[in-house]
């Protein structure tokens, strides 16, 4: 099977699963918004910067490093070394996640009050911490599968995670209602933990059944040391990049409610606006990105593999076709959201504010969807520092819009900042790829 056919096949599987999961998630968010209200959704969304930061430290960089390293090992026929990379990554990621679990539980009150600015987040952070070890296992195994360009296990695990989460939350909700008790937003966190647990168990069982040699292999000290020297130099900058990017994103997310209060909003109003933006409007805009995310996942190991053969013509051909397709998809989605945004907000989310946000954010779709593919190519080329600088530049613009534009223009100023940020990220990524691929 050619590389293009592999990308198309893998993208189709991941996209089909991604759309199904996002379709379920779409109605799940409607359930959350109707059950817990805009303020409850805002409180739920407020804990995710902490979760993202812990995940960046424990798994995100290692997943990308495993995927890229495994792709190169497989292209060279070194399957045993690829399996050793996976086991090493699992050990490191699991240990780091256990450390984060303990740290988060010990400091939940302090993080809630000082970092998130709302003590009500404490009972959400403690159960959230239990998701980290399972997310680490799930992430590393998916990175290994992506490196091998095998998408069945990651796709099904994504579906398992989403179904389990929704069913768990609904069951918890019905139990509490039958007891005559109010259902707190904490049950949404418990559903997330249950989802990560089942997806981790599924990926581990499926991988050992699919490749029995992984389940019974042992790494000798010499092999362990060699794989450590290969994986760590690649994963450390990736992890550092993800942590710094997540820190900037956390500053951005946590500052929005506070800056909205400077625009004559009460605490409750600010949290409601934040909940509508992050829990309703943005997920809607990101819904079609199931396609571009799937393409990006398959594109990175493919680029790494092509790089080993130094086939510049094939590299340029794939990049042009993928980036062009993502841009066209973005244009179509932009038009769709402009026409239907108001209806989506009012009818599906029961929020006219969500409709306004969707119509404004629609303009960034062509750049947002294209950026995921361009940045994936840059990572595949091993230029992770460039990716970090580009993402940081975009985030700095968004953070500036939070601190400068929101007090002056309200949330609309932040939406404009997001649009400018995505446009400039596209220009920077395109410029770097042109320099890397066309020089000489």
């Amino acid at each position: 099977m050619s590389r293009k056919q592999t990308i198309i096949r893998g993208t189709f599987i991941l996209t089909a699963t991604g759309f199904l999961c996002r379709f379920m998630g779409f109605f799940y968010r409607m359930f959350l918004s109707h059950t817990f209200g805009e303020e409850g959704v805002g409180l739920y969304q407020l804990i995710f910067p902490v979760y993202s930061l812990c995940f960046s430290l424990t798994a995100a960089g290692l997943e990308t490093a495993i995927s890229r390293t495994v792709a190169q090992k497989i292209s060279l026929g070194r399957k045993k070394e690829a399996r050793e990379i996976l086991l090493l990554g699992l050990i490191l990621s699991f240990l780091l996640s256990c450390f984060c679990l303990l740290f988060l539980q010990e400091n939940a009150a302090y993080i809630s009050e000082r970092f998130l600015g709302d003590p009500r987040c404490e009972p959400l952070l403690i159960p959230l911490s239990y998701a980290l070890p399972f997310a680490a296992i799930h992430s590393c195994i998916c990175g290994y599968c992506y490196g091998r360009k095998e998408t069945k296990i990651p796709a099904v695990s994504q579906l398992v995670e989403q179904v389990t989460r929704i069913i768990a939350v609904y069951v918890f909700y019905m139990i509490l209602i039958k007891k005559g008790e109010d259902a707190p937003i904490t049950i949404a966190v418990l559903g997330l933990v249950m989802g990560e647990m089942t997806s981790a168990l599924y990926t581990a069982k499926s991988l050992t059944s699919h490749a029995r040699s992984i389940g019974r292999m042992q790494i000798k000290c010499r092999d362990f040391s060699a794989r450590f020297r290969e994986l760590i130099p690649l994963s450390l900058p990736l992890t550092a990049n993800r942590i710094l990017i997540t820190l900037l994103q956390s500053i951005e997310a946590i500052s929005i409610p506070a800056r909205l209060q400077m625009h004559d909003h009460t605490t409750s109003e600010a949290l409601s606006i934040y909940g509508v933006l992050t829990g309703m409007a943005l997920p809607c805009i990101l819904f079609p990105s199931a396609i571009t995310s799937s393409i990006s996942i398959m594109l990175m190991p493919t680029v790494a593999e092509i790089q080993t053969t130094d086939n510049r013509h094939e590299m340029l051909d794939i990049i042009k076709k993928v980036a062009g397709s993502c841009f066209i998809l973005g244009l179509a989605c932009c038009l769709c959201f402009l026409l239907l945004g108001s209806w989506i907000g009012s009818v599906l989310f029961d929020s006219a504010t969500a409709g306004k946000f969707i119509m404004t954010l629609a303009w960034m779709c062509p750049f947002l969807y294209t950026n995921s593919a361009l940045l994936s190519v840059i990572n595949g080329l091993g230029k992770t520092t460039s990716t970090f600088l580009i993402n940081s530049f975009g985030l700095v613009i968004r953070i500036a819009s939070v601190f400068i534009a929101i007090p002056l223009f309200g949330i609309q100023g932040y939406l404009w900042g997001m649009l400018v940020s995505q446009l400039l990220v596209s220009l920077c990524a395109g410029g770097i790829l042109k320099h890397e691929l066309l020089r000489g």
Side-chain angles (χ1 to χ4, degrees):
M1 186 181 295
S2 68
R3 291 191 177 97
K4 291 181 182 178
Q5 291 174 326
T6 301
I7 291 177
I8 293 172
R9 180 177 177 274
T11 298
F12 176 79
I13 294 174
L14 291 175
T15 299
T17 307
F19 268 132
L20 182 57
C21 289
R22 293 186 187 213
F23 183 75
M24 291 187 293
F26 192 74
F27 289 98
Y28 174 63
R29 289 183 181 275
M30 289 173 57
F31 168 75
L32 293 181
S33 65
H34 287 287
T35 304
F36 304 107
E38 294 177 350
E39 187 175 0
V41 174
L43 195 65
Y44 176 63
Q45 292 296 133
L46 200 58
I47 66 173
F48 277 94
V50 176
Y51 182 70
S52 298
L53 184 60
C54 293
F55 181 75
S56 297
L57 174 64
T58 60
L62 279 167
E63 178 185 355
T64 304
I66 289 171
S67 177
R68 189 175 188 276
T69 306
V70 167
Q72 291 181 326
K73 295 292 185 184
I74 295 299
S75 68
L76 297 173
R78 301 174 182 173
K79 295 183 179 180
K80 180 176 180 294
E81 293 182 8
R83 295 193 291 268
E84 291 170 351
I85 288 289
L86 169 62
L87 289 180
L88 175 60
L90 281 170
I91 293 170
L92 294 174
S93 185
F94 184 77
L95 292 176
L96 286 171
S97 65
C98 289
F99 170 79
C100 284
L101 183 153
L102 296 174
F103 178 83
L104 201 56
Q105 292 194 355
E106 289 293 326
N107 298 276
Y110 179 83
I111 293 171
S112 299
E113 185 173 352
R114 297 302 181 98
F115 186 58
L116 300 179
D118 197 321
R120 291 177 294 174
C121 291
E122 181 183 356
L124 304 184
L125 289 176
I126 293 175
L128 181 70
S129 64
Y130 290 104
L132 293 172
F134 300 107
I137 295 171
H138 179 206
S139 179
C140 289
I141 294 177
C142 286
Y144 174 79
C145 293
Y146 293 142
R148 292 177 58 89
K149 299 179 186 176
E150 296 175 353
T151 55
K152 179 183 176 181
I153 293 176
V156 176
S157 70
Q158 185 182 5
L159 187 61
V160 168
E161 189 273 334
Q162 185 75 304
V163 171
T164 304
R165 178 193 301 193
I166 295 172
I167 292 176
V169 173
Y170 184 74
V171 169
F172 291 147
Y173 172 76
M174 293 303 298
I175 291 174
L176 291 173
I177 293 299
K178 287 183 178 181
K179 289 184 177 181
E181 301 177 11
D182 292 332
I185 192 65
T186 309
I187 65 174
V189 181
L190 295 176
L192 186 151
V193 175
M194 294 293 293
E196 289 292 355
M197 184 186 301
T198 52
S199 63
L201 293 174
Y202 167 78
T203 51
K205 184 178 184 303
S206 298
L207 188 62
T208 52
S209 300
H210 173 68
R212 297 186 182 278
S213 55
I214 292 178
R216 60 174 182 266
M217 73 174 293
Q218 296 180 347
I219 303 180
K220 297 179 182 179
C221 290
R222 183 179 60 185
D223 296 333
F224 187 92
S225 177
R227 301 295 83 77
F228 187 87
R229 290 194 300 270
E230 288 180 312
L231 186 63
I232 295 304
L234 181 60
S235 64
L236 278 180
L238 284 168
T239 300
N241 291 351
R242 289 296 294 266
I243 290 173
L244 290 173
I245 292 296
T246 304
L247 277 173
L248 291 175
Q249 290 174 333
S250 300
I251 293 171
E252 173 192 21
I254 294 167
S255 300
I256 291 175
R259 305 306 286 186
L260 282 170
Q261 293 177 46
M262 297 179 64
H263 191 68
D264 298 328
H265 289 293
T266 65
T267 302
S268 179
E269 289 173 344
L271 199 58
S272 295
I273 292 172
Y274 179 73
V276 171
L277 175 63
T278 58
M280 301 178 195
L282 276 175
C284 184
I285 292 293
L286 294 174
F287 185 86
S289 68
I291 299 175
T292 57
S293 297
S294 302
I295 292 173
S296 300
I297 288 170
M298 297 303 300
L299 191 58
M300 191 191 70
T302 301
V303 168
E305 186 178 309
I306 295 174
Q307 190 181 34
T308 61
T309 64
D310 198 26
N311 191 333
R312 192 178 301 271
H313 175 74
E314 185 178 9
M315 182 85 75
L316 287 171
D317 184 51
I318 286 180
I319 293 172
K320 288 178 181 178
K321 289 181 178 179
V322 169
S325 299
C326 290
F327 189 79
I328 292 172
L329 173 66
L331 288 176
C333 291
C334 175
L335 179 61
C336 179
F337 286 132
L338 287 173
L339 295 175
L340 301 176
S342 180
W343 179 84
I344 292 173
S346 300
V347 177
L348 298 185
F349 289 115
D350 193 25
S351 173
T353 303
K356 294 177 182 178
F357 290 172
I358 290 170
M359 293 177 69
T360 302
L361 293 171
W363 295 102
M364 75 178 187
C365 287
F367 311 109
L368 177 66
Y369 299 165
T370 306
N371 288 345
S372 62
L374 296 179
L375 294 175
S376 180
V377 172
I378 295 174
N379 273 334
L381 292 172
K383 305 295 180 180
T384 53
T385 301
S386 297
T387 305
F388 166 68
L389 293 175
I390 293 171
N391 284 327
S392 298
F393 177 58
L395 277 168
V396 166
I397 294 173
R398 282 160 47 183
I399 291 173
S401 70
V402 170
F403 285 91
I404 298 173
I406 288 182
L408 295 175
F409 307 104
I411 196 65
Q412 195 67 34
Y414 174 66
L415 301 183
W416 295 335
M418 291 185 70
L419 175 60
V420 173
S421 170
Q422 293 297 329
L423 173 60
L424 293 179
V425 166
S426 292
L427 293 175
C428 291
I432 288 177
L433 284 176
K434 181 179 180 181
H435 173 74
E436 291 294 329
L437 298 176
L438 298 181
R439 61 183 179 179

